[in-house]
Amino acid sequence: MSTSEVVAATVSDSALDTETAYTGVWTPEAGAVVTFSGIVRNHDGGKDVRSLGYSAHPTATAVISDVAVRIAAKYDGVRIWAAHRTGPLEIGDAALVAAVASAHRGTAFAACSELVDTVKAEVPIWKEQVFADGTVEWVGVSNAPA
């Protein structure tokens, strides 16, 4: 039986920050808390980004929750917090925040890395980037629900 816990797993149009994630997962039993913050940058693929926004499929919250539960089941004794932002974001805003607490750093690093990679691969969220040259690019998961 796993002693892991998913503290939060959500998709939201509210601002995200690592301090909230850290506070959410930390307990006195935790010897390590690993946080990740995916930040909106001002360039992509050699082009200047003027603006961007994220759109989510209605199942996105259920999918991110399922991802967090699967990672928690794989890594015993972890506490997980994960959230992805939707809506318009500014350069410097956090788009994806994750935190994993564990008794040991190796477990916390491994679980957080797998959590972030799996969220990026599976959660049906799309990013629309508008570049300074006026072109637009959509980026997102390829296995979104129909």
Side-chain angles (χ1 to χ4, degrees):
M1 179 170 144
S2 175
T3 59
S4 296
E5 178 183 1
V6 175
V7 176
T10 191
V11 174
S12 171
D13 61 0
S14 298
L16 305 174
D17 67 89
T18 55
E19 185 62 31
T20 301
Y22 177 94
T23 302
V25 298
W26 184 82
T27 66
E29 295 80 22
V33 175
V34 172
T35 60
F36 170 83
S37 187
I39 306 297
V40 176
R41 63 183 180 268
N42 66 357
H43 64 93
D44 191 31
K47 294 180 169 183
D48 291 336
V49 173
R50 183 175 11 175
S51 65
L52 64 83
Y54 287 91
S55 301
H57 189 273
T59 62
T61 297
V63 175
I64 198 171
S65 180
D66 178 65
V67 166
V69 166
R70 289 188 346 247
I71 301 301
K74 184 173 178 179
Y75 296 92
D76 193 42
V78 298
R79 289 173 49 87
I80 292 176
W81 194 102
H84 202 297
R85 180 97 183 263
T86 57
L89 279 78
E90 301 292 325
I91 304 303
D93 286 347
L96 170 60
V97 171
V100 176
S102 176
H104 303 285
R105 71 180 179 273
T107 301
F109 274 112
C112 193
S113 180
E114 188 170 347
L115 174 65
V116 169
D117 289 347
T118 307
V119 165
K120 299 274 295 167
E122 295 183 14
V123 179
I125 293 176
W126 298 271
K127 173 174 64 174
E128 179 188 26
Q129 298 185 113
V130 178
F131 297 104
D133 66 5
T135 59
V136 176
E137 175 184 56
W138 281 90
V139 181
V141 296
S142 59
N143 61 345

